[in-house]
Amino acid sequence: MKSTQLFNYYKKLIHKNIKNDYLSANLEKPVVEEYKLFALDTITSQHLQKDNYIVSTMVVQMALNTHDQIFKTFPKSDNQIMKKQQLTVLAGDFYSGIYYHLLAKAKDISFVRILAKGINELTQQKAYVYYRDFEHSETFLAEYEKIETALLNKVAAYFKMEQGIDYLDKWIMYKKLKLEWSKFQNSETTFFHQLLLQNVIRDNSMISLEDVLLTMLNQTKKSIKNYHGELPPQFDVLKQDFQQEMRKNNFLHINSVLEEGLSK
Amino acid sequence: MKLAKTYSFIKKDLNQIETVLEDSIYTDHDVLRDASLQLLKAGGKRLRPVFVLLAAMFGDYNIHHVKKVASALELIHMASLVHDDVIDDSNIRRGKPTVKANWDNQIAMLTGDFIFAKALDQFTEIEEPRAHQILAKTMIELTLGEIEQIKDKYNLNQNLRTYLRRIRRKTALLISSSCQLGAIAAGTSRETEKSLFKYGYNMGMSYQIIDDILDFTGTEKELGKPAGGDLLQGNITLPVLYAMKNPSVKNELIEMFKYPETVDKEMLEPVIDKILNTDAVEEARILSDRYLQKAYESLHNLPDIKAKKSLEDIANYIGNRKI
């Protein structure tokens, strides 16, 4: 299955499971993080029940991401925003119930435990990172990576892939940063950008944000390139994906140099 | 009689559950730990654990096993309360500041997610898949009940059926599941389990109706929150539904809810007086009593053990809460 087909297949399955008419009518469709889908597909590739593992893990991730959209205080003056916020709380709770229901139906209680432990770690890490000032972006990056990878790490360990976890973490973080970088270039402001501005940069400067994002992206890229440890054979697809991206970047870079040359 | 007296013989076991609750919310992260502890120490009647323990006494009662169910259910209840306070933007619960008031919404969300995960982690020590299916379904229904409540806010065209479905999801199911899961954990017969489920369901319905009545008849001091708070937030509860049979009350509510954002405590006071001057509270009490009666009846076929007497006493207590 090609990755686009794969994403569409799982996105459809996930949205079918979390469907609720009232939430759909009032909230934006929750985002399915494709790179995590890809990673989960890699981790679970040899298991018959992989659909259930992938969907339940992604639904938990979406539940927790949804709760990140809650403002620290509600704007009481605007009833519509208030209603949206209230429904956002409930949407996250609803998705949490769905993940549990999916696994309970499949009688997979041990995987419920794995994800519950993942939520636990992730939530504690969020409380730590969201409410702390960071002197250096490197420290922030290292701590944020734990939030981004907590659930998938648990799943990888469950499927005995501890050996590749370090690589997996960097790969996930690279994908996340790439996404955040492209959103920044499209002038979109995300929760991650705000977190960086508040907890790391602290002067609300977009130039600094650009610098920090690029630095973190290059740092992560370097960590992946310098990774020399053994990897489970399943992780070859992650390596190939990364190499392909590097080739694509080089190609784009050469093209832009050529174009610049032409314009001169 | 005090509620706790009706089940004083399980006090020691309830203390064990309290310890489990405290241990399970422990974390190195100080804000999360303080927020969770604040929630735990705010008290509450611990009704769900009580129902789990009493129901389990109709089977092979083993506190070391049953306490996992009881504490998990209380944790789920706590997690839902901390998120409810965000939804309702409440700063006070049981007369004390809420987590969102002491910290902020984001900490309240994280605390709820953290406690919820702890609950599930703990509950996975119960191997029986059917128990998990019941709990998962209950949790989904609980949220759907809350979503319905938001959907029906300020909607004066809802009927008794809508209201009953909402409170079944919002309140009754978690109580009935507590009874049912207690029974499953103790391996009772399916028939006993069913009777206990029915008892919990009817008790839960009665309990919520009385809560909705108290919202009109109680004082701020008794309720730990302002009286009439439900209506102020646009929630149409049973007394309002009954009172709207009187056209003048209905018209007044229609007028008031034309601009919901302008409704405040002062505007609400004369409407509450009008509602109290109808038969609405009495009619709501009659419906609550009918559920209570059904709760007693559900216990008829169960053996006459101490736990049965306690369940009856709890029903008595709930029925006689000051209205």
Side-chain angles (χ1 to χ4, degrees), chain B residues 209-255:
Chain B
I209 293 172
I210 293 178
D211 245 18
D212 291 343
I213 297 173
L214 285 171
D215 189 59
F216 286 98
T217 59
T219 62
E220 187 161 347
K221 200 178 163 200
E222 285 162 346
L223 299 171
K225 59 177 184 177
D230 286 335
L231 194 55
L232 190 63
Q233 293 196 327
N235 296 328
I236 312 300
T237 57
L238 191 58
V240 184
L241 280 179
Y242 280 145
M244 279 198 301
K245 284 195 268 182
N246 179 329
S248 96
V249 175
K250 186 165 186 178
N251 287 336
E252 199 152 327
L253 283 166
I254 291 172
E255 277 307 306

Side-chain angles (χ1 to χ4, degrees), chain B residues 10 79 99 151 177 225 277 288 319:
Chain B
I10 54 168
V99 172
K151 186 177 164 189
S177 299
K225 59 177 184 177
N277 277 329
S288 162

Side-chain angles (χ1 to χ4, degrees), chain A residues 56-67:
Chain A
S56 54
T57 310
M58 287 309 296
V59 171
V60 174
Q61 188 70 63
M62 286 157 78
L64 301 169
N65 292 352
T66 300
H67 282 167

